[in-house]
Amino acid sequence: MKNFKHIIELKNISISFNKEVILENFNIKIKSGKFVTLLGPSGCGKSTILKIIAGLLKPDSGETIFNGENITNLPPYKRNINTVFQRYALFSHLNVFENIAFGLKIKNLPKDEIKERVLNILKTVNLKGFEKRKPFQLSGGQQQRVAIARALVNRPKLLLLDEPLSALDVNLKQEMQFELKEMQQNLNTTFVYVTHDQEEALTMSDFVVVMNEGEIQQIGTPQEIYNEPQNAFVADFIGQSNILNGTMVKDYRISFANEVFECVDKGFEKNQPVDLVIRPEDILIVPEGEGKFNGVVDTIVFKGAHFELEILARNIYWLVHTTKYYEKGKKVGLNFSPDDIHIMPKLFEQSTNIIKAVAVDEQTISFLDVEFKTNEFKLKANSKVKLIIPPKSISLVSTDSADLVLTLDSIIYKGSYNEMYFYYEDEDENDGYILVNSEYEEEVGTKLGLKFNFNEVKILN
Amino acid sequence: MKKHYLTFTPYCIWIFLFILTPTFVVLIFAFLNENSNFTLENFLNIKNYFGVILKSLGYTTAATSLCFFLAYPISYFASKIKSNMFKKIFIIAISLPMWTNLLLRTYSWMTILENNGILNNILKSLNLSPLKIMNTPIAVIIVMAYDFLPFMIIPIYNSICKIDENLIQAGEDLGANNFKIFKLIILPLSMPGILSGFSIVFVSCACCFFIPRLLGGGFNVLIGELIESQFMGSVYNPWFGSAISIFFMLLIILIIKITQKFNKTETENLTI
């Protein structure tokens, strides 16, 4: 078989379950012989992609190209692709040998060859001598190895792994990560690995595909993903970081924390609002007065290899990693160099909320099921107005005392508050996001109550 | 721990009074003659009835097999029902006949299978020649299979429902088509259900005496009827009745033990 540069290619894949769109016009190409990880929070569609590649799910539209051949309509048993399932999915009525030989027996290979291949793969996964054991007599790690062996013994061109290490304890997990990477290199097979564990993704992969809500956020090597995150979601999801709002004053100059700093990025518009990230290990603690600015140690936690500090400076809590101990309350200076500042375009363009509203009568305004009274203006009944609602004027309250209940779509910590985006859609099918700045920490996907401080809302005719 | 024993006590008393004691009494009876002296004659006498025992096993095997071949497809397709409501309706529909008296159900089959019964009337109206089923072994086997069908369906249905969807996907992933998936995954994994259904139905059929009496036309004396007649009938010989009961019980246990050797899923424990 001819080897194509891309082992698998998904073209314009769309799929939805129960009217909920999981993927829409999704495209990806995966290079042959690489270890590629799909990384993202649960529900981001990564397992769905795996099942579409394996053929276990049929997309509503779009094409799956495997090694140059369109396999969209090929049933899974005719694809030369094998999967390692999340909870192993070993056959409990068969022993280890029979489990691994399953795929080979179906292909009607000669008995001698089956035996040789099974015994060889058992050696590869360090399970020599376990042939006669039943799955329930094995530990979690051993079952995992059998599942991997059962897939690999078929010598697939492409191996799919669906969070295969999620049920293992930390030590075993790290050991298996190492072994998986080694196996992939020795066998020269393409591995597509799905996980929500960023450390796993960074450790093993040649390429990481960061996903959120059915969309690719960034594709790159682990170093690129970590050092040059393309947006605040990636920066937040991969490792710990200080993510802040900034403004590109001009090329190589960024303003944040009330000051303009030198940076290495260019190509933004003048005064364009951006997100920026500084990794906690890139910030140096220096004597007071010798850094970019001064701050006070707020908390210090010992993490084994380093200390994790929160330093309050210029109304921002800076997360800093250091190997030296600093007492709580100590005044220090913070320093970083221009190339430690990674600048990213904003996930959402808006920095405040501008929402269309209707005046019900002279003093009542209605928007998104919310009505409030104002004394500022004499309004014409049924006239259209625009509201400017500052993010800080909206507070999170319990859903029963709220003006409006919406689902949280995105949350990023910005040094001293959480920047939250709530998706809304009104009767006229206008949609958009409401931005809220809050001190509360909430999970994406939860329904939250919003309460408006109408005194701070500006009304524009 | 003490509480644990306390809750267990009533069952122990129950088992002792109503299972162990009667079995023990039957065992003692089997070794006595009418003058209450020890004897092995009762057991030696069994050999004269080997024909009845073989015939009983034949009928039972046929009825259990028929029951299985009816039950498996029903269970399989029912387990594929997606809607929970329809699943519930199915379970109720399957267990509904069990709420009516077994004797009543058997009588109603008589009205169907009789020479002038419902079945033959239908055949007649279609200008087909009537069948003589009543008072033949076929009638006995059909009704046995019907009466105990729910006991076969429910365990099989449960064991198929328990099969993890991931295993089917794993099978597809490893190259198995639908037939191979059924043969290599679903069938072996539903074995525990098949075997418990088989055990229950086999024992019930083997011991049942009124179905052959009502539908077998009195020519087909089976083991259940033979034992019953030793205790209740004109031949009154409870000592021999006990001996043949014990012998038949051991025979059934042996048969079930042998069939259980086919079960490969060791995680599952069966009753007998």
Side-chain angles (χ1 to χ4, degrees):
Chain A
M1 206 199 285
K2 202 179 150 200
N3 278 320
F4 283 74
K5 191 179 164 210
H6 293 110
I7 183 97
I8 195 100
E9 200 180 329
L10 297 182
K11 278 186 185 167
N12 297 322
I13 295 281
S14 296
I15 188 168
S16 38
F17 301 123
N18 299 328
K19 287 180 183 164
E20 195 190 336
V21 179
I22 307 292
L23 297 172
E24 203 173 353
N25 284 327
F26 185 87
N27 289 286
I28 194 170
K29 287 179 181 177
I30 289 169
K31 270 190 193 155
S32 296
K34 298 289 179 198
F35 196 122
V36 178
T37 300
L38 304 179
L39 173 68
S42 53
C44 74
K46 54 193 192 303
S47 293
T48 308
I49 294 171
L50 217 61
K51 288 205 163 132
I52 288 172
I53 297 176
L56 300 169
L57 276 179
K58 212 173 145 32
D60 301 333
S61 65
E63 286 180 350
T64 315
I65 313 290
F66 173 64
N67 216 24
E69 188 191 344
N70 187 339
I71 58 160
T72 316
N73 294 315
L74 215 60
Y77 64 88
K78 287 187 179 163
R79 300 183 180 197
N80 189 11
I81 297 173
N82 289 108
T83 309
V84 178
F85 289 84
Q86 196 167 8
R87 272 168 289 115
Y88 322 135
L90 297 180
F91 304 123
S92 56
H93 59 295
L94 303 178
N95 65 25
V96 169
F97 185 95
E98 291 163 330
N99 258 289
I100 298 174
F102 193 92
L104 301 178
K105 275 186 187 156
I106 281 173
K107 288 193 193 93
N108 285 322
L109 293 185
K111 274 202 169 147
D112 301 344
E113 193 189 336
I114 293 181
K115 196 172 176 192
E116 193 197 319
R117 274 168 77 167
V118 172
L119 294 181
N120 267 334
I121 204 83
L122 275 170
K123 238 184 268 168
T124 313
V125 295
N126 278 328
L127 281 178
K128 220 175 140 190
F130 281 72
E131 298 93 280
K132 291 274 173 311
R133 301 261 190 112
K134 282 285 180 75
F136 72 93
Q137 295 170 310
L138 302 175
S139 71
Q142 290 165 339
Q143 290 187 24
Q144 186 56 71
R145 283 162 214 247
V146 175
I148 292 167
R150 188 179 65 177
L152 280 179
V153 78
N154 300 293
R155 296 178 186 157
K157 284 227 167 267
L158 175 61
L159 183 72
L160 308 174
L161 303 105
D162 188 2
E163 308 218 15
L165 306 183
S166 59
L168 304 184
D169 65 57
V170 180
N171 285 334
L172 197 56
K173 210 179 207 176
Q174 282 169 350
E175 197 184 311
M176 287 297 295
Q177 284 172 11
F178 181 72
E179 286 180 22
L180 271 176
K181 179 72 195 159
E182 210 175 50
M183 263 183 239
Q184 190 267 331
Q185 280 166 343
N186 293 341
L187 297 166
N188 202 19
T189 306
T190 315
F191 277 32
V192 176
Y193 191 98
V194 156
T195 183
H196 62 266
D197 182 334
Q198 44 109 356
E199 189 221 312
E200 224 168 84
L202 297 181
T203 313
M204 293 187 286
S205 324
D206 294 317
F207 292 101
V208 179
V209 180
V210 186
M211 292 189 55
N212 190 30
E213 295 184 345
E215 275 171 28
I216 295 176
Q217 303 293 319
Q218 185 172 359
I219 302 182
T221 63
Q223 287 92 329
E224 281 167 359
I225 297 276
Y226 188 83
N227 291 328
E228 298 294 335
Q230 263 168 23
N231 60 40
F233 174 81
V234 178
D236 190 45
F237 197 73
I238 310 282
Q240 288 174 298
S241 48
N242 298 290
I243 304 172
L244 302 167
N245 288 323
T247 310
M248 281 307 275
V249 180
K250 57 178 182 178
D251 283 356
Y252 308 116
R253 288 287 180 279
I254 180 162
S255 151
F256 64 95
N258 310 327
E259 201 177 321
V260 176
F261 295 96
E262 194 189 329
C263 65
V264 293
D265 293 81
K266 58 164 184 155
F268 291 91
E269 275 169 45
K270 214 179 166 196
N271 290 326
Q272 183 182 341
V274 291
D275 282 328
L276 65 105
V277 56
I278 305 178
R279 295 285 181 192
E281 63 273 19
D282 289 338
I283 300 178
L284 290 176
I285 298 177
V286 292
E288 198 182 0
E290 290 179 22
K292 293 268 192 314
F293 38 73
N294 295 325
V296 180
V297 177
D298 190 68
T299 60
I300 178 159
V301 180
F302 181 58
K303 289 276 180 179
H306 63 266
F307 291 100
E308 190 179 291
L309 284 79
E310 271 190 298
I311 295 170
L312 180 60
R314 302 204 169 169
N315 278 327
I316 294 168
Y317 289 90
W318 301 84
L319 193 65
V320 182
H321 289 175
T322 162
T323 47
K324 250 176 93 182
Y325 179 79
Y326 293 90
E327 222 163 86
K328 192 180 165 180
K330 187 176 169 60
K331 287 179 181 165
V332 292
L334 295 181
N335 206 1
F336 45 83
S337 58
D339 60 356
D340 292 330
I341 306 170
H342 309 294
I343 294 163
M344 313 164 291
K346 278 201 166 287
L347 264 178
F348 301 89
E349 279 173 5
Q350 73 199 70
S351 52
T352 186
N353 299 299
I354 303 171
I355 295 174
K356 287 179 189 162
V358 177
V360 181
D361 59 39
E362 287 190 342
Q363 281 172 344
T364 315
I365 291 177
S366 152
F367 70 100
L368 307 173
D369 297 339
V370 184
E371 273 190 12
F372 70 98
K373 291 207 179 289
T374 173
N375 296 321
E376 246 179 90
F377 285 106
K378 285 267 178 192
L379 297 157
K380 255 191 222 162
N382 288 325
S383 65
K384 286 190 175 165
V385 291
K386 271 185 184 168
L387 305 177
I388 297 181
I389 310 173
K392 278 180 190 158
S393 72
I394 307 170
S395 44
L396 296 183
V397 294
S398 68
T399 48
D400 45 320
S401 59
D403 294 324
L404 191 60
V405 177
L406 291 174
T407 307
L408 180 60
D409 213 67
S410 162
I411 174 168
I412 305 277
Y413 186 67
K414 286 287 172 75
S416 54
Y417 60 88
N418 280 307
E419 196 176 86
M420 301 177 173
Y421 286 91
F422 292 88
Y423 180 75
Y424 71 84
E425 200 172 36
D426 69 13
E427 292 150 3
D428 304 330
E429 305 211 333
N430 291 316
D431 64 342
Y433 291 93
I434 291 185
L435 170 62
V436 178
N437 292 345
S438 168
E439 283 171 15
Y440 293 107
E441 173 107 35
E442 296 288 349
E443 291 253 329
V444 169
T446 43
K447 287 206 154 161
L448 298 171
L450 307 186
K451 195 160 185 67
F452 298 89
N453 180 357
F454 296 112
N455 295 328
E456 291 185 32
V457 175
K458 268 190 195 158
I459 303 159
L460 303 177
N461 275 316
Chain B
M1 270 323 267
K2 260 193 173 166
K3 261 190 183 166
H4 189 74
Y5 283 119
L6 218 71
T7 50
F8 214 67
T9 315
Y11 304 105
C12 291
I13 294 173
W14 177 275
I15 288 169
F16 181 78
L17 280 183
F18 298 109
I19 296 172
L20 291 183
T21 314
T23 312
F24 187 68
V25 169
V26 169
L27 196 64
I28 299 286
F29 256 62
F31 288 100
L32 295 179
N33 63 17
E34 51 197 309
N35 302 321
S36 301
N37 293 325
F38 176 81
T39 176
L40 286 175
E41 206 181 308
N42 293 327
F43 282 98
L44 296 172
N45 205 8
I46 291 174
K47 66 177 185 294
N48 300 329
Y49 293 91
F50 264 0
V52 177
I53 291 172
L54 276 181
K55 194 158 73 178
S56 296
L57 290 181
Y59 273 60
T60 306
T61 310
T64 312
S65 310
L66 177 64
C67 196
F68 167 75
F69 284 113
L70 289 173
Y72 201 93
I74 297 175
S75 313
Y76 180 77
F77 290 112
S79 72
K80 295 276 166 269
I81 298 173
K82 289 231 163 65
S83 135
N84 266 335
M85 194 186 72
F86 283 120
K87 269 193 173 169
K88 268 181 204 155
I89 291 173
F90 167 77
I91 290 293
I92 291 170
I94 288 301
S95 32
L96 208 58
M98 293 202 291
W99 300 353
T100 44
N101 185 291
L102 192 62
L103 212 58
L104 215 60
R105 273 185 278 156
T106 309
Y107 270 113
S108 55
W109 267 100
M110 288 170 74
T111 64
I112 296 173
L113 298 178
E114 266 169 355
N115 290 345
N116 284 318
I118 296 169
L119 179 71
N120 279 336
N121 277 329
I122 293 172
L123 288 176
K124 225 182 271 171
S125 66
L126 295 171
N127 281 331
L128 295 167
S129 55
L131 293 171
K132 187 170 165 28
I133 295 176
M134 194 64 183
N135 298 339
T136 65
I138 294 173
V140 177
I141 289 165
I142 289 176
V143 177
M144 273 181 171
Y146 168 79
D147 272 345
F148 302 115
L149 190 61
F151 298 104
M152 186 69 96
I153 290 179
I154 288 169
I156 294 179
Y157 169 80
N158 280 337
S159 67
I160 297 179
C161 283
K162 262 202 294 187
I163 297 173
D164 186 357
E165 185 58 29
N166 269 331
L167 294 184
I168 314 280
Q169 293 197 341
E172 285 181 66
D173 191 80
L174 292 166
N177 57 22
N178 288 342
F179 172 70
K180 289 242 165 94
I181 284 178
F182 177 76
K183 189 181 135 198
L184 299 172
I185 301 172
I186 296 174
L187 194 61
L189 283 176
S190 53
M191 218 35 154
I194 296 174
L195 289 179
S196 43
F198 180 85
S199 309
I200 299 166
V201 174
F202 193 86
V203 172
S204 305
C205 288
C207 304
C208 155
F209 60 86
F210 59 88
I211 295 176
R213 179 178 291 170
L214 292 176
L215 293 123
F219 306 107
N220 292 291
V221 174
L222 295 188
I223 190 89
E225 222 179 328
L226 177 71
I227 294 168
E228 193 235 359
S229 67
Q230 305 303 315
F231 288 92
M232 317 291 283
S234 48
V235 279
Y236 190 70
N237 186 353
W239 304 281
F240 173 66
S242 300
I244 199 162
S245 297
I246 295 283
F247 176 79
F248 199 60
M249 197 164 80
L250 293 175
L251 193 65
I252 287 174
I253 292 175
L254 184 73
I255 290 169
I256 287 170
K257 276 284 159 206
I258 291 169
T259 56
Q260 276 174 8
K261 287 277 172 255
F262 292 111
N263 187 14
K264 279 183 155 188
T265 46
E266 283 160 37
T267 41
E268 212 73 38
N269 287 315
L270 285 167
T271 36
I272 303 171

